[in-house]
Amino acid sequence: NNPITIADPGPGIPADIRDRVFEPFFTTKSRGGGLGLAIARRTIELHGGTIVLDCPTTGGTVMTVVLPRVTATEGSLTAAAQ
């Protein structure tokens, strides 16, 4: 498995809402439906992966996505041996 890391150097996500950012319809914006991270998490989990949120004390936000490695076998995808 190879992690994919997405980093945003902005102010980060306030501690009091970090537990909610993956909830459907949760948003802090005046425009937007609050579905982006909920859909991303669900899609990643359906593919056997994980998405983790980290907010370093120095600021910013880091999302790490890990998906299982797959190989093409006889026209279908199967999890590769670790």
Coordinates of all heavy atoms in Angstrom, one line a residue:
N1 N 0.8 -1.2 0.0 CA 0.0 0.0 0.0 C 0.9 1.2 0.0 O 1.8 1.3 0.8 CB -0.9 0.0 1.2 CG -1.8 -1.2 1.3 OD1 -2.1 -1.8 0.2 ND2 -2.3 -1.5 2.4
N2 N 0.5 2.2 -0.8 CA 1.2 3.4 -0.9 C 0.3 4.5 -0.5 O -0.8 4.8 -1.1 CB 1.7 3.7 -2.3 CG 2.8 2.8 -2.7 OD1 3.6 2.4 -1.9 ND2 2.8 2.4 -3.9
P3 N 0.6 5.3 0.6 CA -0.3 6.4 1.0 C -0.2 7.5 0.1 O 0.8 7.8 -0.6 CB 0.3 6.8 2.4 CG 1.7 6.3 2.4 CD 1.8 5.1 1.5
I4 N -1.4 8.2 -0.1 CA -1.5 9.4 -0.8 C -1.7 10.5 0.2 O -2.7 10.4 1.0 CB -2.6 9.4 -1.8 CG1 -2.4 8.2 -2.8 CG2 -2.8 10.7 -2.6 CD1 -3.7 7.9 -3.6
T5 N -0.9 11.5 0.2 CA -1.0 12.6 1.2 C -1.3 13.9 0.5 O -0.7 14.3 -0.4 CB 0.3 12.7 2.0 OG1 0.6 11.5 2.6 CG2 0.2 13.8 3.1
I6 N -2.4 14.6 1.1 CA -2.8 15.9 0.6 C -2.6 16.8 1.7 O -3.2 16.6 2.8 CB -4.3 15.8 0.1 CG1 -4.5 14.8 -1.0 CG2 -4.7 17.2 -0.4 CD1 -5.2 13.6 -0.6
A7 N -1.8 17.9 1.5 CA -1.6 18.8 2.6 C -2.0 20.2 2.2 O -1.9 20.6 1.0 CB -0.1 18.9 2.9
D8 N -2.6 20.9 3.1 CA -3.1 22.3 2.9 C -2.4 23.1 4.0 O -2.6 22.9 5.2 CB -4.6 22.3 3.1 CG -5.2 23.8 3.0 OD1 -4.4 24.7 3.0 OD2 -6.4 23.9 2.9
P9 N -1.6 24.1 3.6 CA -0.9 24.9 4.6 C -1.7 26.0 5.3 O -1.1 26.8 6.0 CB 0.3 25.5 3.7 CG -0.4 25.7 2.4 CD -1.3 24.5 2.2
G10 N -3.0 26.0 5.1 CA -3.8 27.1 5.7 C -3.8 27.0 7.2 O -3.0 26.3 7.8
P11 N -4.8 27.6 7.8 CA -4.9 27.6 9.3 C -5.3 26.3 10.0 O -5.2 26.2 11.2 CB -6.0 28.7 9.6 CG -6.9 28.6 8.3 CD -5.9 28.3 7.2
G12 N -5.7 25.3 9.2 CA -6.1 24.1 9.8 C -7.6 24.0 10.1 O -8.3 25.0 9.9
I13 N -8.0 22.9 10.6 CA -9.5 22.7 11.0 C -9.6 22.9 12.5 O -8.8 22.2 13.2 CB -9.9 21.3 10.5 CG1 -9.9 21.2 9.0 CG2 -11.4 21.1 11.0 CD1 -10.1 19.9 8.4
P14 N -10.5 23.7 13.0 CA -10.6 23.9 14.4 C -10.9 22.6 15.1 O -11.6 21.7 14.6 CB -11.8 24.8 14.5 CG -11.8 25.6 13.2 CD -11.4 24.6 12.2
A15 N -10.2 22.4 16.3 CA -10.3 21.1 17.0 C -11.8 20.7 17.3 O -12.1 19.6 17.3 CB -9.5 21.3 18.3
D16 N -12.7 21.7 17.6 CA -14.0 21.4 17.9 C -14.9 20.9 16.8 O -16.0 20.4 17.1 CB -14.7 22.6 18.6 CG -14.8 23.8 17.7 OD1 -13.9 24.0 16.8 OD2 -15.7 24.6 17.9
I17 N -14.4 20.9 15.6 CA -15.2 20.4 14.5 C -14.5 19.2 13.7 O -15.1 18.6 12.8 CB -15.7 21.5 13.5 CG1 -14.4 22.0 12.7 CG2 -16.5 22.5 14.1 CD1 -14.8 22.9 11.6
R18 N -13.3 18.9 14.1 CA -12.6 17.8 13.4 C -13.3 16.5 13.4 O -13.3 15.8 12.4 CB -11.2 17.6 14.0 CG -10.3 18.8 13.8 CD -8.9 18.6 14.4 NE -8.2 19.8 14.4 CZ -7.2 20.1 15.2 NH1 -6.8 19.2 16.1 NH2 -6.7 21.3 15.1
D19 N -14.0 16.2 14.4 CA -14.8 14.9 14.5 C -16.0 14.9 13.5 O -16.5 13.8 13.3 CB -15.2 14.6 15.9 CG -14.1 14.3 16.8 OD1 -13.0 13.9 16.3 OD2 -14.3 14.3 18.0
R20 N -16.4 16.0 13.0 CA -17.6 16.1 12.2 C -17.3 16.3 10.7 O -18.3 16.2 9.9 CB -18.4 17.3 12.7 CG -18.8 17.1 14.2 CD -19.8 18.1 14.6 NE -21.0 18.0 13.8 CZ -21.9 19.0 13.6 NH1 -21.6 20.2 14.1 NH2 -22.9 18.8 12.9
V21 N -16.1 16.5 10.3 CA -15.9 16.9 8.9 C -16.2 15.8 7.9 O -16.5 16.1 6.7 CB -14.4 17.4 8.6 CG1 -14.1 18.6 9.4 CG2 -13.4 16.3 8.9
F22 N -16.3 14.6 8.3 CA -16.7 13.5 7.4 C -18.2 13.2 7.4 O -18.7 12.3 6.7 CB -15.9 12.2 7.7 CG -14.4 12.3 7.4 CD1 -13.5 12.5 8.3 CD2 -14.0 12.3 6.0 CE1 -12.2 12.6 8.0 CE2 -12.7 12.4 5.7 CZ -11.7 12.6 6.7
E23 N -19.0 13.9 8.3 CA -20.4 13.7 8.4 C -21.1 14.3 7.1 O -20.8 15.4 6.7 CB -21.0 14.4 9.6 CG -20.6 13.8 10.9 CD -21.1 14.6 12.1 OE1 -22.0 15.4 11.9 OE2 -20.7 14.3 13.2
P24 N -22.1 13.6 6.6 CA -22.8 14.1 5.5 C -23.5 15.4 5.9 O -24.1 15.5 7.0 CB -23.8 13.0 5.1 CG -23.2 11.8 5.7 CD -22.5 12.2 6.9
F25 N -23.5 16.4 5.0 CA -24.2 17.7 5.1 C -23.5 18.6 6.2 O -24.0 19.7 6.4 CB -25.7 17.5 5.4 CG -26.3 16.7 4.4 CD1 -26.8 15.4 4.7 CD2 -26.5 17.1 3.1 CE1 -27.4 14.6 3.8 CE2 -27.1 16.3 2.1 CZ -27.5 15.0 2.5
F26 N -22.4 18.2 6.7 CA -21.7 19.1 7.7 C -20.8 20.1 6.8 O -20.1 19.7 6.0 CB -20.8 18.4 8.7 CG -20.0 19.3 9.5 CD1 -20.7 20.0 10.6 CD2 -18.7 19.6 9.3 CE1 -20.0 20.9 11.4 CE2 -18.0 20.5 10.1 CZ -18.7 21.1 11.1
T27 N -21.0 21.4 7.1 CA -20.2 22.4 6.4 C -20.1 23.6 7.3 O -20.9 23.9 8.1 CB -20.9 22.8 5.0 OG1 -20.0 23.7 4.4 CG2 -22.2 23.4 5.2
T28 N -19.0 24.3 7.0 CA -18.8 25.6 7.7 C -18.9 26.8 6.7 O -18.7 27.9 7.1 CB -17.4 25.7 8.4 OG1 -16.4 25.5 7.3 CG2 -17.3 24.6 9.4
K29 N -19.3 26.4 5.5 CA -19.3 27.4 4.4 C -20.8 27.8 4.1 O -21.7 27.1 4.3 CB -18.7 26.8 3.1 CG -17.3 26.4 3.3 CD -16.6 26.1 2.0 CE -15.2 25.5 2.2 NZ -14.3 26.3 2.9
S30 N -20.9 29.1 3.7 CA -22.3 29.6 3.4 C -22.8 28.9 2.1 O -24.0 28.8 1.9 CB -22.3 31.1 3.2 OG -21.4 31.5 2.2
R31 N -21.9 28.5 1.2 CA -22.3 27.8 0.0 C -21.6 26.4 0.0 O -20.5 26.3 0.4 CB -21.8 28.5 -1.2 CG -22.5 29.9 -1.4 CD -22.0 30.6 -2.6 NE -21.9 29.7 -3.8 CZ -21.8 30.1 -5.0 NH1 -21.6 31.4 -5.2 NH2 -21.7 29.3 -6.0
G32 N -22.4 25.4 -0.4 CA -21.8 24.1 -0.4 C -22.8 23.2 0.4 O -23.5 23.6 1.3
G33 N -22.8 21.9 0.0 CA -23.7 20.9 0.6 C -23.1 20.1 1.7 O -23.8 19.4 2.4
G34 N -21.8 20.2 1.9 CA -21.2 19.4 3.0 C -21.1 17.9 2.6 O -21.1 17.1 3.6
L35 N -21.0 17.6 1.4 CA -21.0 16.2 1.0 C -19.6 15.7 0.5 O -19.4 14.5 0.5 CB -22.0 15.9 -0.1 CG -23.5 15.9 0.4 CD1 -24.4 15.8 -0.8 CD2 -23.7 14.9 1.4
G36 N -18.7 16.6 0.2 CA -17.4 16.2 -0.4 C -16.6 15.2 0.4 O -16.3 14.1 -0.1
L37 N -16.3 15.5 1.6 CA -15.5 14.6 2.4 C -16.3 13.3 2.8 O -15.7 12.2 2.9 CB -15.0 15.3 3.7 CG -13.8 16.3 3.4 CD1 -13.4 17.0 4.7 CD2 -12.6 15.6 2.7
A38 N -17.6 13.4 3.0 CA -18.4 12.3 3.3 C -18.4 11.3 2.1 O -18.2 10.1 2.3 CB -19.9 12.7 3.6
I39 N -18.5 11.8 0.9 CA -18.5 11.0 -0.3 C -17.1 10.4 -0.5 O -16.9 9.2 -0.8 CB -19.0 11.7 -1.6 CG1 -20.4 12.0 -1.5 CG2 -18.6 11.0 -2.8 CD1 -21.0 13.0 -2.5
A40 N -16.1 11.2 -0.3 CA -14.7 10.7 -0.4 C -14.4 9.6 0.5 O -13.9 8.5 0.1 CB -13.7 11.8 -0.2
R41 N -14.8 9.7 1.8 CA -14.6 8.7 2.8 C -15.3 7.4 2.4 O -14.8 6.3 2.5 CB -15.0 9.1 4.2 CG -14.9 8.0 5.2 CD -15.4 8.4 6.5 NE -14.3 8.4 7.5 CZ -14.4 8.8 8.7 NH1 -15.5 9.3 9.2 NH2 -13.3 8.8 9.5
R42 N -16.6 7.5 2.0 CA -17.4 6.3 1.7 C -16.8 5.6 0.5 O -16.7 4.4 0.5 CB -18.8 6.8 1.4 CG -19.7 5.6 1.1 CD -20.0 4.8 2.4 NE -20.9 3.7 2.0 CZ -20.8 2.4 2.4 NH1 -19.8 2.1 3.2 NH2 -21.6 1.5 2.1
T43 N -16.4 6.3 -0.5 CA -15.8 5.7 -1.7 C -14.5 5.0 -1.4 O -14.3 3.9 -1.8 CB -15.6 6.8 -2.8 OG1 -16.8 7.5 -3.1 CG2 -15.0 6.2 -4.0
I44 N -13.7 5.7 -0.6 CA -12.4 5.1 -0.2 C -12.6 3.8 0.6 O -12.0 2.8 0.4 CB -11.5 6.1 0.6 CG1 -11.1 7.2 -0.4 CG2 -10.4 5.4 1.3 CD1 -10.6 8.5 0.3
E45 N -13.6 3.8 1.6 CA -13.9 2.7 2.4 C -14.5 1.5 1.6 O -14.2 0.4 1.8 CB -14.8 3.1 3.5 CG -14.1 3.9 4.6 CD -15.0 4.4 5.7 OE1 -16.3 4.3 5.6 OE2 -14.5 4.9 6.7
L46 N -15.3 1.9 0.6 CA -15.9 0.8 -0.3 C -14.8 0.1 -1.1 O -15.0 -1.0 -1.5 CB -16.9 1.4 -1.2 CG -18.3 1.8 -0.6 CD1 -19.1 2.5 -1.6 CD2 -19.0 0.5 -0.1
H47 N -13.7 0.8 -1.3 CA -12.5 0.1 -2.0 C -11.5 -0.4 -1.0 O -10.4 -0.8 -1.4 CB -11.9 1.2 -2.9 CG -12.7 1.5 -4.1 ND1 -12.8 0.7 -5.2 CD2 -13.6 2.5 -4.3 CE1 -13.6 1.2 -6.1 NE2 -14.2 2.3 -5.6
G48 N -11.9 -0.6 0.2 CA -11.0 -1.2 1.2 C -9.9 -0.3 1.8 O -9.0 -0.8 2.4
G49 N -10.1 1.0 1.6 CA -9.1 1.9 2.1 C -9.5 2.7 3.3 O -10.5 2.5 3.9
T50 N -8.6 3.6 3.6 CA -8.9 4.5 4.8 C -8.5 5.9 4.4 O -7.6 6.2 3.5 CB -8.0 4.1 6.0 OG1 -6.6 4.1 5.6 CG2 -8.4 2.7 6.5
I51 N -9.1 6.9 5.1 CA -8.7 8.3 5.0 C -8.6 8.8 6.4 O -9.4 8.6 7.2 CB -9.7 9.1 4.1 CG1 -9.2 10.6 4.0 CG2 -11.1 9.0 4.7 CD1 -10.0 11.4 2.9
V52 N -7.4 9.5 6.6 CA -7.2 10.0 8.0 C -6.9 11.5 7.9 O -6.2 11.9 7.1 CB -5.9 9.2 8.6 CG1 -5.6 9.8 9.9 CG2 -6.2 7.7 8.6
L53 N -7.4 12.2 8.9 CA -7.3 13.6 9.0 C -6.3 13.9 10.1 O -6.3 13.3 11.2 CB -8.6 14.3 9.4 CG -8.6 15.7 9.8 CD1 -8.3 16.6 8.7 CD2 -9.9 16.1 10.5
D54 N -5.3 14.8 9.8 CA -4.4 15.3 10.8 C -4.2 16.8 10.7 O -4.2 17.3 9.6 CB -3.0 14.6 10.6 CG -2.0 15.0 11.7 OD1 -2.4 15.1 12.8 OD2 -0.8 15.1 11.3
C55 N -4.2 17.4 11.9 CA -4.0 18.9 11.9 C -2.8 19.1 12.8 O -2.9 19.2 14.0 CB -5.2 19.6 12.5 SG -6.6 19.4 11.4
P56 N -1.6 19.3 12.2 CA -0.4 19.5 13.0 C -0.5 20.7 13.9 O -1.2 21.7 13.5 CB 0.7 19.6 12.0 CG 0.1 19.1 10.7 CD -1.3 19.2 10.8
T57 N 0.2 20.7 15.0 CA 0.1 21.9 15.9 C 0.7 23.1 15.2 O 0.4 24.3 15.6 CB 0.9 21.6 17.2 OG1 2.2 21.2 16.9 CG2 0.2 20.5 18.0
T58 N 1.5 22.9 14.2 CA 2.1 24.1 13.5 C 1.2 24.7 12.5 O 1.5 25.7 11.8 CB 3.4 23.6 12.7 OG1 3.1 22.5 11.9 CG2 4.5 23.2 13.7
G59 N 0.0 24.1 12.3 CA -1.0 24.6 11.4 C -1.2 23.8 10.1 O -0.4 22.9 9.9
G60 N -2.2 24.1 9.4 CA -2.5 23.3 8.2 C -3.3 22.1 8.5 O -3.7 21.7 9.6
T61 N -3.6 21.4 7.4 CA -4.3 20.1 7.5 C -3.7 19.1 6.5 O -3.3 19.5 5.4 CB -5.8 20.4 7.0 OG1 -6.4 21.3 7.8 CG2 -6.6 19.1 7.1
V62 N -3.6 17.9 7.0 CA -3.1 16.8 6.2 C -4.1 15.6 6.1 O -4.5 15.2 7.2 CB -1.7 16.3 6.7 CG1 -1.2 15.1 5.9 CG2 -0.7 17.4 6.8
M63 N -4.4 15.2 4.9 CA -5.3 14.1 4.7 C -4.4 13.0 4.1 O -3.7 13.2 3.1 CB -6.5 14.4 3.7 CG -7.4 15.4 4.2 SD -8.7 14.6 5.3 CE -9.8 16.0 5.5
T64 N -4.5 11.8 4.6 CA -3.8 10.7 4.1 C -4.8 9.6 3.7 O -5.6 9.1 4.5 CB -2.8 10.1 5.2 OG1 -1.9 11.2 5.6 CG2 -2.0 9.0 4.6
V65 N -4.7 9.2 2.4 CA -5.5 8.1 1.9 C -4.7 6.9 1.6 O -3.6 7.0 1.0 CB -6.2 8.6 0.5 CG1 -7.0 7.5 -0.1 CG2 -7.0 9.8 0.8
V66 N -5.1 5.8 2.1 CA -4.4 4.5 1.8 C -5.4 3.6 1.2 O -6.5 3.3 1.7 CB -3.9 3.9 3.1 CG1 -3.2 2.6 2.8 CG2 -2.9 4.8 3.8
L67 N -5.1 3.1 0.0 CA -5.9 2.1 -0.7 C -5.1 0.8 -0.9 O -3.9 0.9 -1.1 CB -6.3 2.6 -2.1 CG -7.3 3.8 -2.1 CD1 -7.4 4.4 -3.5 CD2 -8.6 3.4 -1.6
P68 N -5.8 -0.3 -0.9 CA -5.1 -1.6 -1.1 C -4.5 -1.7 -2.5 O -5.1 -1.2 -3.4 CB -6.1 -2.7 -0.8 CG -7.4 -2.0 -1.0 CD -7.2 -0.6 -0.7
R69 N -3.4 -2.3 -2.6 CA -2.8 -2.5 -3.9 C -3.6 -3.6 -4.6 O -4.1 -4.6 -4.0 CB -1.4 -3.0 -3.8 CG -0.6 -3.2 -5.1 CD 0.8 -3.6 -4.8 NE 1.4 -2.7 -3.9 CZ 2.7 -2.4 -3.9 NH1 3.5 -3.0 -4.7 NH2 3.2 -1.5 -3.0
V70 N -3.9 -3.4 -5.9 CA -4.6 -4.4 -6.7 C -3.8 -4.8 -7.9 O -3.0 -4.0 -8.4 CB -6.0 -3.9 -7.1 CG1 -6.9 -3.7 -5.9 CG2 -5.9 -2.6 -7.9
T71 N -4.1 -6.0 -8.5 CA -3.6 -6.4 -9.7 C -4.7 -6.9 -10.6 O -5.7 -7.3 -10.2 CB -2.6 -7.6 -9.5 OG1 -3.2 -8.7 -8.9 CG2 -1.4 -7.1 -8.6
A72 N -4.5 -6.8 -11.9 CA -5.4 -7.3 -12.9 C -5.2 -8.8 -13.1 O -4.1 -9.2 -13.4 CB -5.3 -6.5 -14.2
T73 N -6.2 -9.5 -12.8 CA -6.1 -11.0 -13.0 C -7.4 -11.5 -13.8 O -8.5 -11.3 -13.3 CB -6.1 -11.7 -11.7 OG1 -5.0 -11.1 -10.9 CG2 -5.8 -13.2 -11.8
E74 N -7.1 -12.0 -14.9 CA -8.2 -12.6 -15.7 C -9.4 -11.6 -15.9 O -10.6 -12.0 -15.7 CB -8.7 -13.9 -15.1 CG -7.6 -14.9 -15.1 CD -8.0 -16.2 -14.4 OE1 -9.2 -16.4 -14.2 OE2 -7.1 -17.0 -14.2
G75 N -9.1 -10.4 -16.1 CA -10.2 -9.4 -16.4 C -10.8 -8.8 -15.2 O -11.7 -8.0 -15.3
S76 N -10.4 -9.2 -14.0 CA -11.0 -8.6 -12.8 C -9.9 -8.2 -11.8 O -8.7 -8.6 -12.0 CB -11.9 -9.7 -12.1 OG -11.1 -10.8 -11.6
L77 N -10.2 -7.4 -10.9 CA -9.2 -6.9 -9.9 C -9.3 -7.7 -8.6 O -10.4 -8.0 -8.1 CB -9.5 -5.4 -9.6 CG -9.3 -4.4 -10.8 CD1 -9.7 -3.0 -10.4 CD2 -7.9 -4.5 -11.3
T78 N -8.2 -8.1 -8.1 CA -8.1 -8.8 -6.9 C -7.0 -8.1 -6.0 O -6.0 -7.6 -6.5 CB -7.8 -10.3 -7.1 OG1 -6.5 -10.4 -7.8 CG2 -8.9 -11.0 -7.9
A79 N -7.2 -8.2 -4.7 CA -6.2 -7.7 -3.8 C -4.8 -8.4 -4.0 O -4.8 -9.6 -4.1 CB -6.6 -7.8 -2.4
A80 N -3.8 -7.6 -4.1 CA -2.5 -8.2 -4.3 C -1.9 -8.8 -3.0 O -2.3 -8.3 -1.9 CB -1.5 -7.2 -4.8
A81 N -1.1 -9.8 -3.0 CA -0.5 -10.3 -1.8 C 0.4 -9.3 -1.2 O 1.1 -8.6 -1.9 CB 0.3 -11.6 -2.2
Q82 N 0.4 -9.2 0.1 CA 1.3 -8.2 0.8 C 2.7 -8.7 0.9 O 3.0 -9.7 1.1 CB 0.7 -7.9 2.2 CG -0.7 -7.3 2.1 CD -0.6 -5.9 1.5 OE1 0.3 -5.1 1.7 NE2 -1.6 -5.6 0.6

